[in-house]
Amino acid sequence: MAFREQGAWVTLLAMTAVYGWYFLDLMGAVNSQPVAEIEYQTRLYTMIGVLVALVIVGQVGIGIYAASSVEKGLELVDDIVDEADERDKLISTRGDALGGYVVAIGAAAAMFEVMAGWQGFWVAHTLLAGLVLSEMAKSVWMLIAYRRGF
């Protein structure tokens, strides 16, 4: 498995775990109390801290995996040191384009929420969801592209 593919897995799994927890916890709070009373700032700071920690742990885990076997380690180190080839650049570019479409949909949804007079809580979380789904779509695209031999 290529280093860039491993990075996409780490990103996808970390984002799914952290943002999944955040949005499920938040929706539980929305169902039990008025939106104006929800203290989402603490949840947001916790989520950001946990996400940063998970990405760091994931990258360290990849480093430990690389160092655990000299043969595999050399392959990973060579893959890391080598610049992205044309295929890697094309996969990344198409992933960025897909992510751009998803974030544009999220931004348009937030714009319509503002025009409809929705509370800032919903607008902010729609924007956050758009950003999250954008990065997840990019990671999924990269995994599919690497697996199919794109």
Side-chain angles (χ1 to χ4, degrees), residues 2 4 79 83-93 142 146:
R4 289 173 180 85
D79 195 20
E83 286 190 31
D85 60 8
E86 184 177 331
R87 176 179 168 245
D88 291 328
K89 290 177 184 177
L90 183 60
I91 289 172
S92 181
T93 300
M142 289 177 72
Y146 278 115

Side-chain angles (χ1 to χ4, degrees), residues 12-71:
L12 182 62
L13 294 175
M15 291 184 77
T16 301
V18 173
Y19 287 113
W21 163 80
Y22 177 76
F23 283 114
L24 286 175
D25 184 49
L26 192 67
M27 288 302 112
V30 166
N31 290 332
S32 65
Q33 59 188 328
V35 174
E37 296 176 7
I38 296 175
E39 293 292 330
Y40 65 90
Q41 293 86 353
T42 303
R43 287 180 176 94
L44 196 57
Y45 292 135
T46 302
M47 181 248 331
I48 291 168
V50 169
L51 184 62
V52 168
L54 277 177
V55 169
I56 290 170
V57 167
Q59 294 301 323
V60 168
I62 290 172
I64 290 171
Y65 170 73
S68 68
S69 168
V70 173
E71 182 178 304

